[in-house]
């Protein structure tokens, strides 16, 4: 039985990610923000930025004036940093405000988080949502993606985010902890590798992690591509063009051994009568699914285990929040936690 008085309820699906967070609402709103929160460092900064708190790209743009937080690290809320939980709360508040709820309308929220956040930080997520919603449910991000795509049986979702890569096998029931696994080789790992490779090759050039992340997001690929990848990096203050193609490929391919090992391990321990069906229904999600050639890489790597079929979600930015919204709209009343 679904919640009563549906017309008085705004259902929202939230994908709370390490790098990006998005919201999809039953009033048709879809919004996203980079998962950065910044507070002015002092009264001068307050006058410069003109706001008590900033989010996403705007916060990054003013980062020199802000105490800047990206509250999730490797898929969990950073421990020992006082403002991390506050930053999560601000992101949730900001996303819900972007959904434009009408005054007095109840909000029922399904929040998708990395699998390790679900295990470690469920209470913190509950506290972050409690002030802004009337009922909630926390689910893993790959489960939300699978539900949104109708992949309820004999399927595997691999959600390649910034802090974690999350795996989930769907087999006709709500997935248990045994059906899900998280590894830490994901987008941030690629950034670290690329930064290291570029530092090694272009020791006289100046660049930072933010620039390297933008290179990855613009040029990421595995296997081969025909075109060159050239970027501008300053040397002694002068802009100089650099060829970074080999470094981008090495960095992107650095996550593939762990990804393939976990994929084959999870399939191998599943019921042998259903393994072929799982291998023929693998879906790549998250920002990592945008890496050029990754679908073919996974498909080729699994060939020795028999026929398989791999595809990527069409809209990795909203696949998680759209799935969480669909869950919210379909969820029987008994599954909701009242806040």
């Amino acid at each position: 039985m679904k919640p009563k008085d549906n017309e008085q309820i705004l259902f929202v699906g939230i994908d709370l990610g390490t790098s990006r967070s998005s919201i999809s609402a039953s009033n048709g709103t879809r919004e996203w923000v980079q998962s950065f929160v910044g507070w002015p460092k002092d009264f001068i900064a307050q006058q410069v930025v003109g706001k008590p708190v900033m989010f996403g790209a705007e916060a990054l743009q003013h980062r020199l004036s802000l105490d800047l937080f990206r509250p999730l690290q490797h898929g969990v809320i950073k421990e020992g940093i006082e403002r991390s939980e506050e930053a999560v709360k601000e992101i949730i508040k900001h996303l819900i405000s972007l959904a434009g709820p009408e005054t007095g309308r109840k909000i029922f929220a399904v929040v998708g988080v990395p699998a390790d956040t679900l295990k470690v930080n469920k209470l913190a997520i509950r506290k972050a949502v409690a002030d802004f919603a009337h009922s909630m449910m926390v689910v893993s991000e790959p489960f939300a993606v699978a539900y949104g795509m109708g992949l309820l049986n004999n399927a595997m979702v691999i959600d390649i985010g910034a802090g974690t890569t999350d795996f989930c096998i769907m087999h006709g029931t709500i997935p248990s902890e045994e059906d899900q696994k998280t590894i830490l080789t994901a987008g941030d790992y690629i950034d670290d590798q690329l930064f290291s490779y570029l530092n090694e090759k272009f020791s006289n050039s100046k660049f930072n992690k933010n620039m390297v992340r933008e290179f990855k997001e613009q040029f990421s690929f595995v296997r081969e591509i025909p075109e060159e990848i050239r970027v501008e990096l300053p040397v002694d203050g002068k802009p100089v063009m650099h060829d970074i193609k080999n470094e981008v490929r090495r960095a992107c391919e650095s996550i593939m051994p762990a990804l393939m090992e976990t994929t084959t391990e999870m399939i191998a321990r599943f019921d042998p009568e259903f393994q072929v069906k799982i291998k023929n229904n693998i879906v790549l999600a998250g920002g990592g699914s945008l890496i050029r050639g990754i679908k073919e890489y996974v498909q080729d790597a699994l060939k020795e285990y028999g026929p398989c079929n791999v595809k990527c979600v069409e809209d990795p930015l909203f696949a998680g929040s759209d799935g969480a919204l669909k869950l919210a709209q379909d969820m029987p009343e008994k599954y909701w936690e009242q806040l």
Side-chain angles (χ1 to χ4, degrees):
M1 184 178 177
K2 296 178 185 178
K4 297 175 182 175
D5 302 325
N6 278 7
E7 291 182 0
Q8 300 303 316
I9 296 171
L10 179 67
F11 294 100
V12 299
I14 294 173
D15 183 352
L16 185 63
T18 304
S19 175
R20 291 179 172 83
S21 297
S22 60
I23 187 167
S24 301
S26 56
N27 61 7
T29 302
R30 296 166 90 213
E31 297 283 351
W32 70 276
V33 63
Q34 293 185 62
S35 302
F36 286 99
V37 180
W39 290 274
K41 289 179 176 176
D42 51 36
F43 81 98
I44 296 295
Q46 173 75 58
Q47 292 181 40
V48 170
V49 303
K51 295 180 180 179
V53 59
M54 286 185 147
F55 301 92
E58 189 178 35
L60 272 176
Q61 187 181 350
H62 292 89
R63 59 186 181 277
L64 299 182
S65 298
L66 302 176
D67 289 323
L68 193 67
F69 289 82
R70 194 168 76 155
L72 298 184
Q73 185 176 55
H74 300 316
V76 299
I77 298 174
K78 293 177 186 174
E79 292 183 353
I81 300 177
E82 192 176 319
R83 278 197 144 175
S84 288
E85 288 190 17
E86 190 181 350
V88 170
K89 191 172 182 176
E90 289 287 356
I91 289 176
I92 295 286
K93 178 183 177 183
H94 182 60
L95 287 170
I96 290 178
S97 72
L98 291 176
E102 298 166 6
T103 304
R105 200 172 181 185
K106 290 182 177 179
I107 295 172
F108 280 41
V110 170
V111 183
V113 297
D116 278 1
T117 301
L118 189 59
K119 296 174 191 171
V120 178
N121 296 133
K122 190 170 182 179
L123 183 59
I125 298 295
R126 185 186 186 283
K127 284 167 58 182
V129 176
D131 288 347
F132 316 111
H134 298 82
S135 294
M136 69 165 287
M137 183 179 183
V138 183
V139 301
S140 75
E141 286 170 345
F143 172 47
V145 171
Y147 192 84
M149 298 180 70
L151 299 173
L152 306 185
N153 199 17
N154 298 322
M156 182 180 201
V157 173
I158 304 173
D159 188 350
I160 310 166
T164 60
T165 297
D166 293 278
F167 303 75
C168 178
I169 287 182
M170 297 295 297
H171 52 83
T173 64
I174 294 175
S176 66
E177 282 192 19
E178 289 71 33
D179 301 318
Q180 303 179 76
K181 188 164 183 177
T182 295
I183 59 174
L184 302 182
T185 44
D188 286 351
Y189 184 81
I190 294 175
D191 296 344
D192 291 342
Q193 295 297 104
L194 184 54
F195 187 81
S196 172
Y197 296 152
L198 295 181
N199 248 332
E200 186 180 319
K201 184 173 180 181
F202 308 116
S203 55
N204 293 329
S205 300
K206 295 294 182 187
F207 49 88
N208 58 37
K209 280 282 185 69
N210 192 48
M211 295 165 67
V212 168
R213 185 180 302 117
E214 289 179 0
F215 295 156
K216 175 198 70 178
E217 291 177 353
Q218 186 174 356
F219 300 114
S220 62
F221 76 101
V222 293
R223 304 194 343 157
E224 293 291 339
I225 56 170
E227 68 266 27
E228 293 184 342
I229 299 176
R230 295 175 65 80
V231 300
E232 188 177 283
L233 297 172
V235 178
D236 297 329
K238 298 177 182 176
V240 178
M241 297 303 292
H242 295 71
D243 178 0
I244 64 168
K245 181 176 179 178
N246 286 336
E247 287 69 32
V248 170
R249 180 177 59 198
R250 285 177 63 197
C252 292
E253 291 187 348
S254 68
I255 66 167
M256 298 312 294
L259 188 150
M260 294 314 307
E261 182 182 345
T262 306
T263 302
T264 53
E265 176 193 310
M266 289 189 71
I267 293 173
R269 76 183 187 204
F270 199 66
D271 188 319
E273 289 190 66
F274 295 90
Q275 289 180 9
V276 171
K277 291 182 178 178
I278 298 289
K279 279 188 293 187
N280 276 288
N281 207 6
I282 295 175
V283 174
L284 304 179
S289 66
L290 293 171
I291 296 174
R292 289 176 289 172
I294 193 168
K295 179 184 77 171
E296 292 78 12
Y297 188 111
V298 174
Q299 208 156 262
D300 286 350
L302 290 174
K303 268 184 180 174
E304 63 176 297
Y305 299 94
C308 67
N309 184 47
V310 182
K311 61 183 177 183
C312 298
V313 297
E314 292 182 1
D315 189 351
L317 192 53
F318 288 103
S321 58
D322 284 353
L325 172 61
K326 192 170 188 300
L327 262 171
Q329 292 174 308
D330 294 346
M331 190 71 66
E333 193 167 3
K334 66 177 183 180
Y335 288 95
W336 286 100
E337 180 183 357
Q338 302 298 318
L339 299 173

